[in-house]
Amino acid sequence: MRIGIGYDVHRLVEGRRLILCGVEIPYERGLLGHSDADVAVHALMDAVLGALALGDIGKLFPDSDPQYKGADSMKLLDTVIGKMRGKGFSLGNLDITIITEKPKLSPYIEQMRQNLAKAFDCDISQISVKATTEEGLGLGGAGIGANAAVLLE
Ligand code: MG
C-alpha cells in the first residue's frame, strides 16, 4: 500500500467558470489558472503522484505548455490514473476537503463523487469529498483551496 497527500489553492476571479471535481458550479466568480483550475482535482492528482513518488502535476503538465491551456483537469486526471495503473496500483480510497467560504458546495458533492468514481472505475464508497469554510480566518473568499489524501493498493 502507498499513501499520498496533495494541496492546492487557486484565486477566485470574475469571468471564469467555477469547476470542482469536474462539476460546473453556478457562481459569480471562477478559479483562475492555466487549465480549468479545478483545484480539487489538482490536489487529488498531486496526492496520487505523491503516493507513486512521481513528482507533481507541475512537472507532468507544465503551465508553460500551451497544450494545457484551458485543459479539462478530469482529462489530466485520466493520465495520472493511467500512470497509477501502469505502476500496478489501484485506488483503495481517496478523501478530499475543499476549503471555501462561498458558494455552498453541498448540492454538488454527490456529483463530484460520481465523477471521481467513474474516473477511477471504482465504487463510490471509495470516494469522499467534503467541504469546509475557514470561519473567515483563511482565504476569506479570495480563493478556494483543497487537500487530498489517497491510499493506493
Ligand atoms: Mg492548481
Side-chain angles (χ1 to χ4, degrees), residues 7-10 32-33 35 37-43 45-46 57 73:
Y7 173 70
D8 197 18
V9 177
H10 281 259
L32 184 63
S35 67
D38 188 332
V39 67
V41 171
H42 290 188
M45 289 192 284
D46 266 355
I57 56 169
S73 294

Side-chain angles (χ1 to χ4, degrees), residues 69-148:
K69 187 165 168 53
D72 176 351
S73 294
M74 291 299 289
K75 292 228 168 70
L76 304 182
L77 176 62
D78 287 341
T79 301
V80 169
I81 290 170
K83 289 191 176 292
M84 176 190 82
R85 296 216 169 98
K87 289 265 185 186
F89 284 91
S90 62
L91 181 74
N93 71 296
L94 69 82
D95 189 13
I96 297 174
T97 302
I98 301 170
I99 305 147
T100 188
E101 300 297 327
K102 280 182 180 177
K104 268 262 168 281
L105 298 182
S106 51
Y108 309 102
I109 294 286
E110 282 313 301
Q111 186 61 55
M112 293 181 194
R113 292 178 68 210
Q114 284 175 26
N115 287 354
L116 296 177
K118 191 169 170 219
F120 280 92
D121 192 24
C122 71
D123 194 83
I124 199 157
S125 66
Q126 291 164 266
I127 309 283
S128 165
V129 180
K130 317 184 296 297
T132 185
T133 72
E134 292 178 311
E135 303 284 336
L137 296 169
L139 293 165
I144 296 180
N147 285 304

